[in-house]
Amino acid sequence: MKWMIALWLVTSTLISQAQQITGFVKDENGAPLSGATVNLVKANDSSTVKLAITKVNGSYVFSGINGGSYNVMATYIGFKPAFSPAFSFGTTDMTMPELKLVKMTGNLANVTIVANKPIVEVKADKMILNVEGTINAVGSNALELLRKSPGVLLDQDDNISLAGKNGVQIYIDGRATPLSGADLANYLKTLQSSQIEAIELITNPSAKYDAAGNAGIINIRLKKNKSLGTNGSVNAGWNIGITAKYNAGASLNYRNKNINLFSTYSFNYGPTEQKMDVTRTVLDSLFDQRGTIRQLGRAHNFKAGADYFINKKSTIGVMLNGTLADPEFSNYSKTYISNSTTNTVDRILIADNSNDLKRHNLNVNLNYSYIDPAGTSLVVNADHGTYDLNSDQFQPNYYYDPSGQVMLNRVIYHMYSPAKININTAKADYEQNFKKGKLSLGVKTAWVKTDNNFQRFNVTNAIEDLDKDRSNRFVYRENINAGYINYNRQYKTVMIQAGLRAEYTVSEGVSEGLKWNGGNYVPSITSFKRSYTSLFPSAAITFNKNPMKQWSLTYSRRIDRPAYQDLNPFEFKMDEYTYMKGNVNLRPQYTNSFGVTHTYKYKLNISLNYSHVNDLFTQIVDTTEKSKAFVSKKNLATQDIASISISYPFQYKSYSLFTSISSNYSKYKADFGTGRKVDLAAFGFSLFAQNSLKFAKTWTAELSGFFNAPTIYQGSFKGKSIYNIDAGISKQVFKGKGTIKAAVSDVFHTMRFRATSDFAGQIMKINFLAETRQFKLSVNYRFGNNGVKPPKQRTGGAEEELKRAQQSGGVIGN
C-alpha cells in the first residue's frame, strides 16, 4: 500500500508540475541576438508573467509556467519589437517559432543612421531632451536651453530650480560642476547647442549618484563619436536680435575595433543686451533704478580623447576638455533717489559699471572599465579639474542734483578678484548578479580647494588706493568621502530597488584681511571648520504585472551644501546702495522626497511628488544703515513642496507632439525676528509643448513653447507669469549629409522676468527684459564614414546606461 501511495504522489507531482516554453530570437538575417529581452504576457490583458534574457545563441527559456493562453514579445536596442501570435499552453513543453527582429534603420553594419530620436523621452527616473535633433535649439546656449526645459525655472539672477525646488546639481558629461550662481551661469552660456547631445532632468537619482542636489540632477551630455572609420562635421551659426552674434565648430573622429579617437572644437561670439528696472522703498526713501546690462560673450570650447579596447570586456580611456572664455560685462544705470512721502527727487545716481571676466577651465579624465555580459562590471574614474576665474571691475558712481546737470559728488571703485578652483576626484563602481538581482557597490573621494583674493581700490583723481577694510582673501577646502550599496531585483510582478549612500564631509574656510585697531591695520583672520556624516537612503518599487499599466513608488534623501562664495563673510559692493555678503553660519539643507508615478502604455506619464526641506537656504535682500541693502543667503526654517507632472507623446504619421504639464505648491516659512519674517505660499504651474512636422521628405518644421504661472523664486520673490514661443524649420541637403536650420526664438518677445519682494521693511519691484527674440540660422555638414557599430545589447536599463557612459569617460554621472 505504501509504495502505491508513493507512486501516486510522484505521479501527481509530475503531472501537476508546470512546464517550459523555449525559443530563439534572431535578426532578419537569421543571426542570433544575444541579450534580447523576452517577455511572456497573458493574451487577455498583456500582463507580464515572466521575463527572460536570450543567451549567446539567441535562446530563451521560461520555466515553471502554468497552463493558459499567452503571447511572447521580444525587444532589442535598435530593433522593432516582435510579437508571437496568441497560443495555448498545456501540460507539455513547448518550443516557439523563431522571433525575428527587424532593425529600425535597415542594415547597421555600415550605413547612415536615419532614425530620429524623439525630441523628449520620459523614463522612470528622468526626462531626456534630445537637443541634437531639435530645430529650435539652434543658436542657443546651455542656459537658454535650460530656461525652456520642462519644470525648470530661472530667476533674475539665473539661479536654477527644478520642479519648484532650488538646489539643482549641474553635471557636464556625468561630472558635477563646482560652480554656482553667476559663475555657473556664465559657464553655461559658453556651451552652445551645437556641442550638446542631450539634457537629462534626473529627479530621482539612485544611491550611485552624489547626494548633492535637493531638486535632483541636470546632466548635460556633450556629443561624442559613435561611428566607425574616419568622420567629422563642421557647423556655423549666425543670430541677430539687437546685435549680431555668431558661432562655429568642428569635430574630427576615428574609430575601429581597437581604438576610438574623438575631438570637438567650438567658438562663439555674442553681444547681448538686457533692460533692467528696479524700485526699492526703504523707510521714507524710494530708489528707482533703470539700467541697461550688456554682455559680450567670447568662448572657445574643446574636447579630445581616446578609448582603447583592450579586449571585448575591458576598455581604458583618457579625455581632455575645457573652456577658454573672456566675456565682458557692463551695467549702466540711473537711479532716482526720492522721498517716498513727498515723491520729490532728492538726487540722481549714475553708475557705469564695467567688468572684464576670465573663465578658463581644464579637465582631465582617466578611466578604466571591465564589463562582462554575464553581469559583472567594474568602472574606475580619476579626474583632475582646474578653474581659473578672474573679475576686473571698474565701478564709478556719480551723484547729480535733481536736474541731472550739476554733479554733487563722485565715488569710484576698482575691484580685482582672481580665483582658483582645483578639483581632484577618484571613484570606483562595481556591479554583479546577486540573489537573482543586481548588486552595486561603489566608493568615491573628492577634494576641492578654492582660493579667492578680492581687492578693492578707492579711486581719486585716477590714483588707486587699496581699501584695506574691504579687501579680503578667502580660501576654502572641502573633502567628501562616500560609499554606497544598491540592490535591484525583478520579481514576478514587482521590481524593487533599494540603496544607501554614506558621505563624510570635512570643510574649512579661512578669511584673511586687515582691520583697523585705532592706530594702524593689523591682520584679521576669521575661520571655520566643519565635519559631519550623513546617510542618504533611496528606494523604488515598480509594479509591472501589466507592462501597459505600471506604477512606481520612490523615496530619496538628498543634501545641498552651501557654495563657497556664500560662506565668505566678506562684503562685495555692487553699487553705492547694494552689497553682497556671505554667511559663515549657512548650514547644508536636506530634502526628503516621496513620489508616485503611473505609466500607461509606455506613453502617458503621471507623477506626484512631495518634498520636505529642512534648513532651506535662499537669497535674502536685507537692509543696513537704514537705506542700504545687502544680499546674502540664510537658512529659512522649512519648505514643503507638492508637485504633479503629466507628459504625453503623440505621433501620427509625420507629425509628432510632446506635451508636459507641471504644477507645484510651495510653502516657505521662517522667522528672523520682528519685521524679518517670511511666510509665503505659492502655487506654480508650467506648460511645455513641442510640435514637429516632417514634409516633402527633407523638410521639418517645429513649433515649441512654454508657460510658467506666477510662483516664488528664492524663497522671498513673488514672480509673475512668463511665457515663450519658438518657431523653426530645417532642410536636409547633400543627400542627408548637410542640414540648414532657421528659427525665431521668443517670437512675441514675452519672456520678461517680473517679481516683487517685501522683507525686512524693504519693498522691491523687479523687471528684466532680455534680448530673447532672435532670428537664428545654422548650417551643419557631416563628412566621412557614418557607419555605426551594431550595439551590444545589455540589460539593466538606466543603470547599464550609466556603466556604458562611465566606460567612455562618463556621460551620465554620479
Side-chain angles (χ1 to χ4, degrees):
M1 179 64 68
K2 291 183 179 179
W3 68 268
M4 292 180 64
I5 296 175
L7 179 61
W8 175 77
L9 289 172
V10 171
T11 304
S12 300
T13 303
L14 291 174
I15 291 175
S16 63
Q17 184 176 1
Q19 306 301 308
Q20 291 185 339
I21 298 175
T22 60
F24 290 85
V25 178
K26 297 182 179 181
D27 63 16
E28 67 266 41
N29 298 319
L33 291 177
S34 172
T37 300
V38 187
N39 195 356
L40 181 67
V41 299
K42 291 183 179 180
N44 59 348
D45 62 2
S46 299
S47 61
T48 296
V49 177
K50 206 155 194 178
L51 294 170
I53 303 298
T54 58
K55 298 180 180 179
V56 176
N57 62 353
S59 66
Y60 63 89
V61 177
F62 293 118
S63 300
I65 306 300
N66 296 318
S69 182
Y70 301 101
N71 292 93
V72 174
M73 178 180 68
T75 58
Y76 192 86
I77 291 178
F79 289 74
K80 296 179 181 179
F83 301 84
S84 74
F87 62 93
S88 295
F89 179 65
T91 58
T92 59
D93 292 348
M94 176 178 287
T95 300
M96 298 294 298
E98 290 181 355
L99 286 176
K100 289 192 175 182
L101 274 61
V102 178
K103 294 180 179 177
M104 293 180 180
T105 59
N107 181 14
L108 287 180
N110 193 25
V111 298
T112 302
I113 295 297
V114 296
N116 293 319
K117 292 180 181 179
I119 294 172
V120 180
E121 297 177 77
V122 178
K123 298 189 177 183
D125 60 340
K126 62 189 169 185
M127 180 181 291
I128 303 174
L129 283 72
N130 291 305
V131 176
E132 193 171 13
T134 305
I135 299 171
N136 289 334
V138 61
S140 300
N141 59 51
L143 193 68
E144 292 169 335
L145 294 175
L146 289 179
R147 190 186 300 274
K148 301 174 185 179
S149 299
V152 179
L153 293 177
L154 275 72
D155 66 11
Q156 79 279 9
D157 296 319
D158 293 329
N159 295 301
I160 303 170
S161 62
L162 178 62
K165 294 181 284 186
N166 62 0
V168 181
Q169 187 71 36
I170 303 295
Y171 282 54
I172 307 295
D173 273 346
R175 293 170 180 80
T177 60
L179 304 177
S180 62
D183 289 335
L184 175 61
N186 287 326
Y187 172 68
L188 293 176
K189 290 175 183 177
T190 69
L191 297 177
Q192 297 298 299
S193 61
S194 58
Q195 304 169 251
I196 300 172
E197 178 179 336
I199 296 175
E200 299 175 332
L201 309 178
I202 307 173
T203 54
N204 185 44
S206 70
K208 279 192 172 185
Y209 295 85
D210 286 351
N214 284 345
I217 293 168
I218 297 179
N219 182 45
I220 300 174
R221 288 184 0 220
L222 304 181
K223 295 178 181 178
K224 185 179 178 182
N225 177 44
K226 304 180 185 73
S227 302
L228 293 170
T230 302
N231 60 84
S233 67
V234 291
N235 64 81
W238 179 81
N239 304 353
I240 182 70
I242 298 175
T243 55
K245 314 130 189 15
Y246 58 85
N247 59 82
S251 67
L252 183 62
N253 314 289
Y254 174 77
R255 179 173 184 148
N256 61 26
K257 65 179 182 179
N258 296 319
I259 196 169
N260 178 36
L261 305 175
F262 53 94
S263 63
T264 62
Y265 166 78
S266 68
F267 169 75
N268 72 82
Y269 174 92
T272 59
E273 186 173 298
Q274 178 174 285
K275 298 295 184 181
M276 171 190 67
D277 294 330
V278 179
T279 61
R280 289 193 301 116
T281 302
V282 184
L283 299 178
D284 60 352
S285 297
L286 172 65
F287 301 84
D288 184 4
Q289 181 182 12
R290 303 172 187 179
T292 300
I293 300 173
R294 293 184 174 89
Q295 298 183 63
L296 175 59
R298 288 188 299 251
H300 302 265
N301 292 275
F302 56 89
K303 180 178 180 179
D307 298 320
Y308 176 67
F309 307 112
I310 302 172
N311 52 46
K312 292 182 178 180
K313 299 179 181 180
S314 300
T315 304
I316 189 170
V318 60
M319 184 178 67
L320 174 72
N321 70 289
T323 299
L324 303 176
D326 299 285
E328 296 178 7
F329 173 91
S330 66
N331 181 1
Y332 177 87
S333 66
K334 180 182 290 188
T335 303
Y336 296 87
I337 305 173
S338 310
N339 186 301
S340 60
T341 57
T342 62
N343 202 28
T344 56
V345 176
D346 178 66
R347 59 195 183 279
I348 300 172
L349 167 63
I350 294 179
D352 191 6
N353 301 342
S354 62
N355 196 353
D356 293 329
L357 301 169
K358 177 182 179 182
R359 297 291 183 266
H360 291 185
N361 161 237
L362 182 65
N363 301 288
V364 180
N365 167 262
L366 299 175
N367 60 84
Y368 168 79
S369 68
Y370 171 86
I371 298 179
D372 188 335
T376 300
S377 69
L378 173 65
V379 179
V380 180
N381 276 277
D383 293 272
H384 172 70
T386 62
Y387 290 80
D388 185 3
L389 314 176
N390 188 49
S391 173
D392 188 359
Q393 182 178 6
F394 187 71
Q395 188 183 86
N397 301 277
Y398 304 103
Y399 290 90
Y400 289 85
D401 69 352
S403 69
Q405 302 299 316
V406 180
M407 182 182 295
L408 304 176
N409 187 26
R410 69 173 65 185
V411 182
I412 302 174
Y413 306 103
H414 178 202
M415 289 163 283
Y416 185 72
S417 179
K420 304 282 187 182
I421 303 176
N422 289 298
I423 306 170
N424 294 284
T425 64
K427 63 178 180 177
D429 300 280
Y430 174 77
E431 190 171 277
Q432 70 170 46
N433 295 326
F434 180 75
K435 298 289 186 181
K436 298 182 180 181
K438 191 74 70 174
L439 177 67
S440 303
L441 303 168
V443 293
K444 179 180 179 180
T445 184
W447 300 267
V448 179
K449 178 186 176 182
T450 66
D451 190 341
N452 188 314
N453 188 11
F454 184 91
Q455 303 169 60
R456 194 181 95 170
F457 298 87
N458 299 318
V459 183
T460 306
N461 298 325
I463 299 176
E464 296 189 355
D465 179 43
L466 179 66
D467 188 340
K468 300 180 179 63
D469 293 315
R470 294 290 184 268
S471 298
N472 166 271
R473 181 185 180 191
F474 184 65
V475 179
Y476 179 75
R477 292 178 174 87
E478 184 178 77
N479 172 224
I480 301 175
N481 298 294
Y484 72 86
I485 181 171
N486 194 77
Y487 180 74
N488 64 75
R489 177 177 174 179
Q490 173 68 55
Y491 290 89
K492 185 175 181 180
T493 60
V494 177
M495 175 178 283
I496 64 166
Q497 176 268 316
L500 180 65
R501 186 179 185 92
E503 293 188 350
Y504 174 64
T505 304
V506 178
S507 60
E508 180 181 8
V510 179
S511 180
E512 301 177 356
L514 296 174
K515 185 177 182 180
W516 181 254
N517 66 354
N520 56 357
Y521 282 95
V522 296
S524 175
I525 298 177
T526 303
S527 65
F528 65 88
K529 187 172 184 178
R530 299 173 181 169
S531 63
Y532 51 93
T533 301
S534 301
L535 298 177
F536 303 96
S538 62
I541 302 175
T542 301
F543 301 92
N544 52 13
K545 179 179 180 179
N546 184 350
M548 298 298 175
K549 300 177 182 179
Q550 297 190 45
W551 288 88
S552 296
L553 304 176
T554 60
Y555 165 75
S556 65
R557 183 175 190 257
R558 301 188 63 76
I559 187 176
D560 204 31
R561 299 176 180 88
Y564 75 92
Q565 303 99 319
D566 297 331
L567 295 171
N568 187 0
F570 170 72
E571 283 187 3
F572 178 80
K573 193 181 187 79
M574 300 174 68
D575 58 40
E576 278 292 270
Y577 288 89
T578 311
Y579 301 81
M580 292 187 69
K581 184 178 181 180
N583 178 9
V584 296
N585 296 315
L586 199 61
R587 302 181 301 275
Q589 63 181 25
Y590 293 88
T591 299
N592 288 278
S593 297
F594 305 84
V596 180
T597 301
H598 176 57
T599 303
Y600 180 70
K601 291 187 176 181
Y602 300 103
K603 289 186 177 182
L604 177 63
N605 282 267
I606 303 175
S607 296
L608 178 65
N609 291 276
Y610 168 75
S611 298
H612 178 77
V613 186
N614 287 318
D615 287 335
L616 173 75
F617 50 76
T618 187
Q619 185 169 288
I620 296 295
V621 181
D622 212 338
T623 55
T624 182
E625 299 177 22
K626 293 186 178 181
S627 60
K628 295 185 178 181
F630 69 86
V631 180
S632 64
K633 287 192 175 181
K634 295 184 178 181
N635 293 100
L636 289 178
T638 59
Q639 180 188 22
D640 292 280
I641 304 171
S643 65
I644 184 172
S645 63
I646 303 172
S647 64
Y648 184 78
F650 173 79
Q651 181 80 41
Y652 179 74
K653 295 183 179 180
S654 59
Y655 171 75
S656 64
L657 164 69
F658 176 85
T659 182
S660 173
I661 300 174
S662 301
S663 179
N664 66 80
Y665 175 82
S666 301
K667 178 70 174 178
Y668 302 82
K669 195 170 184 179
D671 187 350
F672 298 119
T674 304
R676 296 159 52 82
K677 296 182 180 180
V678 176
D679 190 357
L680 294 174
F683 173 79
F685 171 82
S686 64
L687 171 66
F688 172 87
Q690 180 96 32
N691 300 266
S692 178
L693 176 65
K694 295 183 179 180
F695 58 97
K697 293 185 179 180
T698 59
W699 289 87
T700 303
E702 281 186 9
L703 182 68
S704 62
F706 73 86
F707 170 82
N708 293 331
T711 188
I712 298 294
Y713 296 91
Q714 293 295 304
S716 61
F717 285 92
K718 295 181 179 180
K720 295 187 177 181
S721 61
I722 183 172
Y723 62 96
N724 165 82
I725 293 178
D726 298 337
I729 192 168
S730 72
K731 162 75 172 169
Q732 291 188 354
V733 295
F734 303 122
K735 298 181 178 180
K737 289 184 175 290
T739 304
I740 300 174
K741 298 180 181 180
V744 177
S745 62
D746 195 11
V747 176
F748 302 106
H749 209 193
T750 54
M751 205 155 68
R752 180 193 303 266
F753 181 87
R754 295 167 297 170
T756 60
S757 174
D758 186 353
F759 179 77
Q762 176 176 247
I763 300 174
M764 290 186 66
K765 295 181 180 180
I766 301 173
N767 192 341
F768 283 85
L769 180 62
E771 189 183 349
T772 52
R773 182 166 58 186
Q774 300 180 24
F775 172 75
K776 303 177 179 181
L777 183 67
S778 79
V779 179
N780 179 275
Y781 179 75
R782 299 174 296 277
F783 59 87
N785 184 14
N786 290 316
V788 177
K789 184 178 180 180
K792 293 183 178 180
Q793 179 82 356
R794 299 184 177 94
T795 62
E799 302 300 342
E800 275 299 325
E801 188 177 357
L802 174 62
K803 289 192 296 183
R804 295 197 298 274
Q806 293 170 324
Q807 177 183 358
S808 57
V811 292
I812 305 173
N814 58 309

